[in-house]
Structure formats: structure tokens, C-alpha cells
Amino acid sequence: MQNSTLWRTLLGVDKTIVEAVDLDADTGMLVASVRPTASMRNRCGACRKRCPRYDAGDGRRRWRSLDAGSVQIHLEAAAPRVSCRVHGVTVAAVPWARHQSGHTLFFDDQVAWLATQTSKSAITVLMRIAWRTVGAIITRVWADTEKQFDQFAGLTRIGIDEISYKRGHKYLTCVVDHDSGRLVWAAPGQDKATLETFFDALGPERSALITHVS
């Protein structure tokens, strides 16, 4: 297996050319210099459509990847800007990370999965990131998930409840699917207006399919 193929596999990147991998003597980090393949260059970071190049942006930047044992790994690449007809001047998309993220896709997905299995404080220690970073990653991953899956599909029997947070001073209204056991919706608040936003999102046609509410 060639070194470039090996590093792409280890880094978990696709449509990416690995130019070099070096150890940063000052930080002790492993830094992989990468660039998108020709088919992925000059695309809008928001919509991924090919656009004219605008400028070089702020130069090269880094994205945190999953650690290799105790060694942190970062991807480094140029971050040019493109001019999109819809989104204006914006940083070009890269195949290894979500738009406006400082972490790779694999890193984001790992943190999001951990958020479903353990506490946020445990994630900060294990992944060596800040508490606020965990929340930002969850928001990015969920935004992508919503585009791929319809969480309201086949919804007929639901349960509605509220939970408190911030030491009981604030509340979330939660809706679960009794058939699958999944949480399908949640929002801050505990009043009628909060619940109405769920049925607004569900829509009149799918609301009519609800047969049981507990």
C-alpha cells in the first residue's frame, strides 16, 4: 500500500490528497498537509456548488482530527475563498470537514456519538476540547442529520413530557416516538405555545396521523 493511500485511510479522509506528514517539534502534534482533489476544489462551503475563486483567504489553516494514541493530529491546508451567487464570498468547502468547523468529519462524528453515551464533562476530558466546543459540534452534526433523515416519518403514537435543567430553573418539552423509543423533538419551554411549535413543525397532514398521545 502506498504511503498516500495509507495516510488517507488512517486520517479517514476522502477525495483528499495527502502531500506530507510531519511532527511539529514545538507542539508535539502530527500535522498532515493536505489538499482537495481537483473535483472538490473551488466549491462553496455552504452549498458545495462550484464557484469562481475569489482570493486566498487568510492563508493556510488547521483542522483537528482524531488522536493517534496520545498524539494530536491536525490537517493543514490552504483556505481560499470563493464567490457564490447565493451565499456570496465564503471560504471554500473541504471534503474532510463541515463548513466553518475547526474539526474533521470523523472528529465531529465521534464527539456527537459520545454525547449520546456519556456526560459532556467526560467528553471534554477524553477528546481534550472545551465544554462549548461539544455543544457546537452537536449542533453541526444534528444539522446534517436533519437533512438526511425525517424524524417525523411514520409518527403515530407519541409521548410528551418535560425535563428540567440548570438546577430546575429551566425546562425542555420533549416528544418521543412510542413505537421506536426515539426522541423526535425537543425545545425550551413548558407551556402550550411551546408544544404548538412541535405541531407546526409536524404539519396538519402528519398531525392527523397521530392516534395516541401520552
Side-chain angles (χ1 to χ4, degrees), residues 47 58 65 67 73 118 126 133 140 181 200-201:
C47 64
D58 293 329
S65 186
D67 295 348
I73 297 180
T118 187
L126 177 64
T133 303
R140 285 196 299 270
D200 289 342

PDB file of all heavy atoms in Angstrom, residues 47 58 65 67 73 118 126 133 140 181 200-201:
ATOM      1  N   CYS A  47     -23.144  25.513   0.050  1.00  0.00           N
ATOM      2  CA  CYS A  47     -23.971  24.695  -0.851  1.00  0.00           C
ATOM      3  C   CYS A  47     -23.171  23.690  -1.666  1.00  0.00           C
ATOM      4  O   CYS A  47     -23.748  22.862  -2.377  1.00  0.00           O
ATOM      5  CB  CYS A  47     -24.780  25.588  -1.788  1.00  0.00           C
ATOM      6  SG  CYS A  47     -23.771  26.573  -2.931  1.00  0.00           S
ATOM      7  N   ASP A  58      -7.383  33.756   4.328  1.00  0.00           N
ATOM      8  CA  ASP A  58      -6.409  34.076   5.377  1.00  0.00           C
ATOM      9  C   ASP A  58      -5.203  33.143   5.353  1.00  0.00           C
ATOM     10  O   ASP A  58      -4.467  33.041   6.335  1.00  0.00           O
ATOM     11  CB  ASP A  58      -7.072  34.012   6.755  1.00  0.00           C
ATOM     12  CG  ASP A  58      -8.117  35.104   6.936  1.00  0.00           C
ATOM     13  OD1 ASP A  58      -7.940  36.192   6.345  1.00  0.00           O
ATOM     14  OD2 ASP A  58      -9.118  34.864   7.646  1.00  0.00           O
ATOM     15  N   SER A  65      -8.042  16.540  13.992  1.00  0.00           N
ATOM     16  CA  SER A  65      -8.505  15.208  13.629  1.00  0.00           C
ATOM     17  C   SER A  65      -8.487  14.318  14.867  1.00  0.00           C
ATOM     18  O   SER A  65      -8.094  14.754  15.957  1.00  0.00           O
ATOM     19  CB  SER A  65      -7.609  14.616  12.533  1.00  0.00           C
ATOM     20  OG  SER A  65      -8.112  13.384  12.080  1.00  0.00           O
ATOM     21  N   ASP A  67      -7.184  11.704  17.523  1.00  0.00           N
ATOM     22  CA  ASP A  67      -5.829  11.475  18.019  1.00  0.00           C
ATOM     23  C   ASP A  67      -5.298  10.111  17.585  1.00  0.00           C
ATOM     24  O   ASP A  67      -6.059   9.170  17.349  1.00  0.00           O
ATOM     25  CB  ASP A  67      -5.811  11.531  19.551  1.00  0.00           C
ATOM     26  CG  ASP A  67      -6.169  12.909  20.083  1.00  0.00           C
ATOM     27  OD1 ASP A  67      -6.200  13.869  19.288  1.00  0.00           O
ATOM     28  OD2 ASP A  67      -6.450  13.015  21.298  1.00  0.00           O
ATOM     29  N   ILE A  73      -3.543  14.962  16.123  1.00  0.00           N
ATOM     30  CA  ILE A  73      -3.322  15.068  14.686  1.00  0.00           C
ATOM     31  C   ILE A  73      -4.124  16.231  14.130  1.00  0.00           C
ATOM     32  O   ILE A  73      -5.296  16.408  14.474  1.00  0.00           O
ATOM     33  CB  ILE A  73      -3.722  13.763  13.960  1.00  0.00           C
ATOM     34  CG1 ILE A  73      -2.852  12.604  14.438  1.00  0.00           C
ATOM     35  CG2 ILE A  73      -3.605  13.927  12.457  1.00  0.00           C
ATOM     36  CD1 ILE A  73      -3.177  11.288  13.768  1.00  0.00           C
ATOM     37  N   THR A 118     -22.409   9.391  27.065  1.00  0.00           N
ATOM     38  CA  THR A 118     -21.769   9.796  28.316  1.00  0.00           C
ATOM     39  C   THR A 118     -21.992  11.280  28.566  1.00  0.00           C
ATOM     40  O   THR A 118     -22.635  11.961  27.768  1.00  0.00           O
ATOM     41  CB  THR A 118     -20.260   9.471  28.262  1.00  0.00           C
ATOM     42  OG1 THR A 118     -19.678   9.719  29.546  1.00  0.00           O
ATOM     43  CG2 THR A 118     -19.550  10.314  27.214  1.00  0.00           C
ATOM     44  N   LEU A 126     -11.863  13.296  27.590  1.00  0.00           N
ATOM     45  CA  LEU A 126     -11.427  12.267  26.647  1.00  0.00           C
ATOM     46  C   LEU A 126     -10.937  12.860  25.334  1.00  0.00           C
ATOM     47  O   LEU A 126      -9.888  12.460  24.808  1.00  0.00           O
ATOM     48  CB  LEU A 126     -12.577  11.302  26.370  1.00  0.00           C
ATOM     49  CG  LEU A 126     -12.314  10.195  25.346  1.00  0.00           C
ATOM     50  CD1 LEU A 126     -11.213   9.256  25.850  1.00  0.00           C
ATOM     51  CD2 LEU A 126     -13.586   9.406  25.063  1.00  0.00           C
ATOM     52  N   THR A 133     -17.243  23.673  22.916  1.00  0.00           N
ATOM     53  CA  THR A 133     -16.955  23.021  21.645  1.00  0.00           C
ATOM     54  C   THR A 133     -17.845  21.807  21.443  1.00  0.00           C
ATOM     55  O   THR A 133     -18.298  21.531  20.324  1.00  0.00           O
ATOM     56  CB  THR A 133     -15.477  22.599  21.586  1.00  0.00           C
ATOM     57  OG1 THR A 133     -14.648  23.755  21.789  1.00  0.00           O
ATOM     58  CG2 THR A 133     -15.131  21.976  20.247  1.00  0.00           C
ATOM     59  N   ARG A 140     -23.710  21.145  14.734  1.00  0.00           N
ATOM     60  CA  ARG A 140     -23.317  20.910  13.339  1.00  0.00           C
ATOM     61  C   ARG A 140     -23.751  19.527  12.855  1.00  0.00           C
ATOM     62  O   ARG A 140     -24.299  19.377  11.751  1.00  0.00           O
ATOM     63  CB  ARG A 140     -21.799  21.048  13.182  1.00  0.00           C
ATOM     64  CG  ARG A 140     -21.281  22.470  13.200  1.00  0.00           C
ATOM     65  CD  ARG A 140     -19.867  22.517  12.654  1.00  0.00           C
ATOM     66  NE  ARG A 140     -18.926  21.744  13.421  1.00  0.00           N
ATOM     67  CZ  ARG A 140     -18.217  22.212  14.441  1.00  0.00           C
ATOM     68  NH1 ARG A 140     -18.381  23.463  14.819  1.00  0.00           N
ATOM     69  NH2 ARG A 140     -17.350  21.449  15.079  1.00  0.00           N
ATOM     70  N   GLY A 181     -39.146   4.412  20.369  1.00  0.00           N
ATOM     71  CA  GLY A 181     -38.454   4.832  21.583  1.00  0.00           C
ATOM     72  C   GLY A 181     -37.523   6.012  21.374  1.00  0.00           C
ATOM     73  O   GLY A 181     -36.783   6.398  22.280  1.00  0.00           O
ATOM     74  N   ASP A 200     -46.729  22.590  14.686  1.00  0.00           N
ATOM     75  CA  ASP A 200     -46.487  23.426  13.496  1.00  0.00           C
ATOM     76  C   ASP A 200     -45.417  22.783  12.620  1.00  0.00           C
ATOM     77  O   ASP A 200     -45.523  22.766  11.383  1.00  0.00           O
ATOM     78  CB  ASP A 200     -46.058  24.833  13.910  1.00  0.00           C
ATOM     79  CG  ASP A 200     -47.203  25.646  14.510  1.00  0.00           C
ATOM     80  OD1 ASP A 200     -48.366  25.262  14.293  1.00  0.00           O
ATOM     81  OD2 ASP A 200     -46.921  26.645  15.196  1.00  0.00           O
ATOM     82  N   ALA A 201     -44.355  22.270  13.262  1.00  0.00           N
ATOM     83  CA  ALA A 201     -43.286  21.618  12.515  1.00  0.00           C
ATOM     84  C   ALA A 201     -43.764  20.306  11.906  1.00  0.00           C
ATOM     85  O   ALA A 201     -43.350  19.923  10.806  1.00  0.00           O
ATOM     86  CB  ALA A 201     -42.084  21.360  13.435  1.00  0.00           C
TER      87      ALA A 201
END
